[in-house]
Amino acid sequence: MNTSQPLRTPPALMTRRRIAAAILAGGAVVALASCSASEDTSTSPPTSSASSAASSSPPGMQPGPTDQPRPCPTGQLCTADQVIVAALEEVFSYRGTDSDPAAAAADRAADLLTPSYRAAAAGSWSMLAPITGSQWAQWKAIGATVEASARVLSDEHPPDTAATAARVATVTQTVTPTGEQLAPMTVWVVARAGGPTGWQLDTITTQQ
């Protein structure tokens, strides 16, 4: 269930793994097969490197991607990772000339966000990033723009399904014309199948 305000949790209180596990408990249903001892001595096929990596993860979790996705082409179906990166970069890129830069950014990302998430987060988009009112005012005064860049991390996450994909990502923001680079943010997202591009973000949770 989406909340109208993003969560902010101090790093010392909750690690990435714990938050990923919380996403698993609250937003994904995973069927875990119980393991029992067996005396079957039949030969098993060699374990792939991907399987070995997954086996080292906590039960019900899998490692994230190690490669960055290609940009999502406009008007085409994309992978969950492509949509996650595209949506985050749109949501966290601002134009100082907009009356409400954060809300305007969310509007531009409308096709990449589920309708239910947009409705739940309405009026609180500016709370996703730790930007003060004075910073917004300064950017508006000089007509600044903020360009966001997102990367999907290899952190563990709940297993993907045909309908959902959870990821951990980082977002960096650069201000033009000042060249200021804002502190990077770690974000947890859940994407759901649907929309014009094949996937849409259903939640964005930030840690600052």
Side-chain angles (χ1 to χ4, degrees):
M1 178 177 181
N2 294 328
T3 57
S4 60
Q5 296 185 356
L7 304 177
R8 297 191 179 94
T9 307
L13 298 181
M14 185 171 287
T15 63
R16 290 177 180 174
R17 178 176 293 179
R18 289 173 181 167
I19 294 184
I23 293 175
L24 170 63
V29 177
V30 180
L32 300 178
S34 60
C35 299
S36 59
S38 172
E39 295 182 358
D40 184 2
T41 57
S42 60
T43 303
S44 299
T47 303
S48 68
S49 58
S51 298
S52 299
S55 66
S56 64
S57 301
M61 303 292 282
Q62 69 180 44
T66 55
D67 297 322
Q68 293 303 304
R70 295 180 179 180
C72 179
T74 302
Q76 296 186 25
L77 294 177
C78 299
T79 66
D81 288 336
Q82 286 177 307
V83 170
I84 287 170
V85 169
L88 289 175
E89 291 183 343
E90 197 72 77
V91 167
F92 288 101
S93 291
Y94 312 125
R95 299 172 185 172
T97 53
D98 290 329
S99 58
D100 186 340
D107 288 341
R108 288 190 289 271
D111 286 346
L112 304 175
L113 307 172
T114 63
S116 59
Y117 180 46
R118 291 180 60 202
S124 64
W125 291 108
S126 62
M127 298 176 65
L128 278 175
I131 299 171
T132 64
S134 61
Q135 281 180 304
W136 288 118
Q138 289 173 6
W139 292 343
K140 185 176 181 63
I142 64 174
T145 59
V146 179
E147 189 75 18
S149 176
R151 291 180 60 85
V152 178
L153 302 181
S154 60
D155 292 46
E156 295 152 349
H157 60 80
D160 294 344
T161 70
T164 63
R167 293 289 186 272
V168 184
T170 57
V171 176
T172 57
Q173 296 166 294
T174 303
V175 183
T176 301
T178 66
E180 177 188 5
Q181 195 163 62
L182 307 183
M185 293 182 292
T186 299
V187 301
W188 289 262
V189 300
V190 175
R192 295 194 180 278
T197 57
W199 291 86
Q200 295 177 310
L201 289 199
D202 195 48
T203 61
I204 302 174
T205 303
T206 59
Q207 175 183 347
Q208 298 151 13

